[in-house]
Amino acid sequence: MTYETLLVEQRGAVTLITLNRPQALNALNSQLLADLITAFAAFDADDSQRCAVLTGSEKAFAAGADIKEMASQSFADMYGSNFFAGYDRVTATRKPWIAAVNGFALGGGCELAMMADFIVAGDNAKFGQPEIKLAVTPGMGGSQRLTRAIGKAKAMEMCLTGRMMDAAEAERSGLAAKVVPAADLVDEAMKTAEAIAAMAPLAALATKEMVNAAFETTLQQGVVFERRLFHGLFGSADQKEGMAAFVEKRPGNWTGK
Ligand code: HXC
């Protein structure tokens, strides 16, 4: 499958998806969203694939939603088409995926990165929600996900001033899981993805689902949800294999059942 705005490559059990609109610093237009929806659905449906990495270029992960595409839209156009709602299909991806961010991750670019299960940042990464400078606001989840990631004070300051946050601050603030040299970004993210891809697949799905539940439930409900998923894994062959492999001091050999 080839895409107009993406490069997609399977490396073993990891799918590497690269945003590829260099002439617009990977600005997110409708075609790119359509391509992302298709690529993530294909990744999720392919049993040979266990984890994905989404990246951009060294200069820009993505410099935002495509301003040129949005500029002339009316309220009726935006509301009527439920503009950006397609990103809910990206966040519905059940398997784990990592955003590997070099350069600018601004506006919708920052919001897309925050849709990932976690962010690995190159040391040249710059995150920001500059929409207010265009007389709009975040529209792809930024006001919600940034606030959950870094807390109200910093999120409010970032969204109200539109300032950029560098990689070190992003790591310190909990926006990025780790920072690596920009030149090593994709290799490092791929290594992390390969480690995840080597885990028992059902346990990886369940882990993602329960951590995400922490944002949707009370503590008590979340703890019960976790416990039920944990109980459920005792119905899997891989749980038997994983615990037997530990006792026998050998690596587990997963079937995904
Ligand atoms: C469309 C964009 C773009 C964008 C950059 N380009 N960002 N096109 N939408 N978001 C295009 C430029 O127009 C230019 O094309 C080319 O990419 C290179 O960009 P330059 O500005 O020449 O590069 P540079 O001087 O290095 O500056 C980089 C930059 C700047 C600081 C990242 O491009 C910038 O500020 N971009 C916009 C950032 C932003 O406001 N993002 C939020 C978007 S709103 P041409 O052909 O002109 O040379 C958003 C909303 C989400 O995401 C939801 C609510 C609406």
Side-chain angles (χ1 to χ4, degrees):
M1 174 93 189
T2 55
Y3 297 88
E4 211 172 293
T5 65
L6 303 176
L7 301 170
V8 179
E9 188 190 331
Q10 292 187 349
R11 294 192 191 168
V14 178
T15 302
L16 175 63
I17 304 173
T18 306
L19 303 169
N20 188 31
R21 287 192 75 211
Q23 74 286 5
L25 301 183
N26 294 330
L28 309 168
N29 64 3
S30 305
Q31 183 61 49
L32 194 148
L33 171 57
D35 287 350
L36 278 177
I37 290 170
T38 307
F40 273 101
F43 157 65
D44 232 12
D46 185 338
D47 281 346
S48 74
Q49 298 301 291
R50 304 290 193 209
C51 190
V53 171
L54 177 68
T55 196
S57 68
E58 187 141 347
K59 174 157 184 192
F61 177 75
D66 191 315
I67 298 169
K68 293 168 189 168
E69 184 181 67
M70 284 185 298
S72 64
Q73 302 283 309
S74 67
F75 167 77
D77 295 332
M78 297 303 253
Y79 185 68
S81 69
N82 206 4
F83 202 76
F84 290 148
Y87 282 99
D88 294 347
R89 292 164 65 184
V90 175
T91 60
T93 304
R94 296 186 67 216
K95 292 176 187 169
W97 62 281
I98 301 168
V101 176
N102 260 339
F104 297 111
L106 300 177
C110 186
E111 293 168 298
L112 176 60
M114 290 190 292
M115 291 176 200
D117 296 308
F118 58 91
I119 295 172
V120 176
D123 55 13
N124 70 348
K126 293 210 178 308
F127 299 90
Q129 297 292 158
E131 291 92 338
I132 195 163
K133 296 181 182 173
L134 304 168
V136 289
T137 64
M140 285 168 50
S143 65
Q144 307 304 300
R145 292 196 177 92
L146 189 64
T147 307
R148 281 162 167 78
I150 68 176
K152 177 183 166 182
K154 267 188 189 285
M156 192 69 96
E157 182 225 1
M158 298 267 305
C159 292
L160 281 173
T161 66
R163 80 162 171 99
M164 292 187 210
M165 177 185 268
D166 68 18
E169 187 181 3
E171 185 184 31
R172 203 163 64 233
S173 310
L175 180 58
K178 62 177 173 179
V179 180
V180 300
D184 303 337
L185 176 72
V186 175
D187 286 348
E188 289 294 327
M190 287 297 291
K191 269 191 224 156
T192 304
E194 280 155 13
I196 295 168
M199 302 301 170
L202 294 179
L205 286 185
T207 300
K208 170 168 174 164
E209 201 170 5
M210 68 177 67
V211 173
N212 281 335
F215 295 101
E216 309 291 346
T217 65
T218 64
L219 177 61
Q220 184 56 25
Q221 288 167 332
V223 168
V224 171
F225 182 72
E226 173 195 273
R227 197 180 299 142
R228 293 294 172 251
L229 281 174
F230 171 78
H231 292 162
L233 288 170
F234 284 73
S236 71
D238 282 346
Q239 174 270 326
K240 298 288 172 288
E241 165 65 9
M243 294 193 178
F246 174 80
V247 173
E248 292 161 19
K249 301 187 191 299
R250 60 172 176 81
N253 181 22
W254 316 125
T255 59
K257 304 288 183 199

